[in-house]
Amino acid sequence: QPCWSEYLTTRIEQNMVVNCTCPISECRAQPTTAFIYSIVSSEEIIAKYEKALLRGYVECCSNLTWCTNPQGCDQILLKDGLGYGTACSKCSWISCFNCNFPEAHYPASCSHMSHMTCAKCNHGFCWRCLKPWKPTHKDYYNCSAMVSKAAWQEKRFQDYNERCTFHHHAREFALSLRNRVSSISEMPKIRTLTFVLDACKVLEQARKVLAYSCVYSYYNQDTESMDVVEQQTESLELHTNAL
């Protein structure tokens, strides 16, 4: 029993307990959950084992996923019926279930979030695997012949990138402001500040949309609908700044 306890404890601590087999190389038997409970006595190790089981179950179910909040959230989400704008019931984070980007990025599409362009030669590539966005670089772009266009593209990218970065920073300010107002509202003899908290939430969401609108506009500049999009974005930005 002591040998089994040490073996299973090690496997659990190394996150290798799921599908582990008997330590004898010729034996492929797997210890059952009941057996592990009877051998391992540490509550801390058992808690790690149960988390490993839950994690393995979620990873095996294509219809389940974890909340992608980068601040940390252990909520399990059911993908079915979760359209855009549906927030985590625990932390209110809005995830994207169609790509690996950690949050919903409307109005930018999933391809916009993964398609990067070199500012020097306009080479398109995927930021996840670094492979060319198109089959080969030389087939669709001639760097030496397009220096002026590359310079224009670099300036354009810098402009949109600066706008996007500004709105992300402004979004962080809105979140910080909401946290400060929330702490003040908990003090005695202070009138309810619910309307201010609601305004901070709207401000934070507006900055998020404006940031990803920069990504959307950068990749869709030549489409016919961009004039309308730019007008709506400008209007949203003016109202957001006023708020």
Side-chain angles (χ1 to χ4, degrees):
Q1 181 168 334
C3 295
W4 265 108
S5 178
E6 182 178 350
Y7 170 69
L8 292 173
T9 298
T10 301
R11 299 285 292 194
I12 292 171
E13 289 181 333
Q14 295 177 349
N15 196 28
M16 299 172 61
V17 67
V18 179
N19 298 325
C20 77
T21 58
C22 174
I24 299 176
S25 58
E26 295 81 9
C27 181
R28 308 308 300 169
Q30 295 181 342
T32 64
T33 298
F35 178 75
I36 292 176
Y37 281 143
S38 67
I39 294 295
V40 180
S41 58
S42 171
E43 294 183 1
E44 181 181 354
I45 299 300
I46 288 297
K48 289 183 179 180
Y49 170 64
E50 291 174 344
K51 286 184 179 180
L53 287 180
L54 180 60
R55 186 166 53 249
Y57 176 75
V58 173
E59 291 174 355
C60 289
C61 296
S62 59
N63 199 32
L64 297 178
T65 187
W66 298 97
C67 175
T68 59
N69 190 334
Q71 301 300 321
C73 179
D74 58 0
Q75 185 78 344
I76 300 173
L77 304 177
L78 182 66
K79 291 183 181 180
D80 279 357
L82 287 179
Y84 174 79
T86 303
C88 171
S89 60
K90 185 174 182 178
C91 69
S92 300
W93 185 260
I94 304 177
S95 304
C96 178
F97 299 111
N98 296 319
C99 70
N100 293 329
F101 199 74
E103 70 172 342
H105 41 73
Y106 179 84
S109 68
C110 293
S111 62
H112 292 157
M113 304 312 297
S114 60
H115 185 186
M116 304 300 290
T117 303
C118 174
K120 183 176 182 180
C121 69
N122 207 31
H123 170 56
F125 62 94
C126 174
W127 69 268
R128 295 194 189 99
C129 64
L130 301 183
K131 292 182 179 179
W133 198 254
K134 292 188 178 182
T136 56
H137 183 194
K138 62 182 180 181
D139 286 347
Y140 72 97
Y141 195 79
N142 187 334
C143 296
S144 60
M146 303 293 287
V147 175
S148 59
K149 182 176 181 180
W152 172 82
Q153 185 77 353
E154 180 177 6
K155 178 63 168 61
R156 181 168 169 268
F157 173 80
Q158 289 176 347
D159 290 343
Y160 277 103
N161 186 56
E162 288 177 1
R163 287 171 55 190
C164 183
T165 301
F166 168 79
H167 289 304
H168 275 306
H169 287 165
R171 178 186 175 189
E172 293 175 359
F173 167 78
L175 177 60
S176 175
L177 180 63
R178 177 155 63 98
N179 290 335
R180 294 202 303 272
V181 174
S182 180
S183 63
I184 293 174
S185 64
E186 295 175 357
M187 298 175 62
K189 298 181 181 180
I190 296 293
R191 292 189 308 169
T192 177
L193 298 175
T194 304
F195 71 99
V196 182
L197 291 174
D198 291 341
C200 290
K201 292 179 182 179
V202 172
L203 184 60
E204 183 184 352
Q205 180 64 21
R207 290 299 184 187
K208 175 183 174 181
V209 172
L210 285 169
Y212 291 125
S213 292
C214 295
V215 180
Y216 179 85
S217 297
Y218 176 77
Y219 286 109
N220 293 276
Q221 196 65 43
D222 297 329
T223 60
E224 295 180 357
S225 62
M226 279 313 299
D227 287 342
V228 177
V229 173
E230 291 286 1
Q231 290 174 5
Q232 292 178 336
T233 302
E234 183 178 354
S235 176
L236 174 60
E237 187 167 1
L238 288 173
H239 285 85
T240 302
N241 291 339
L243 179 61

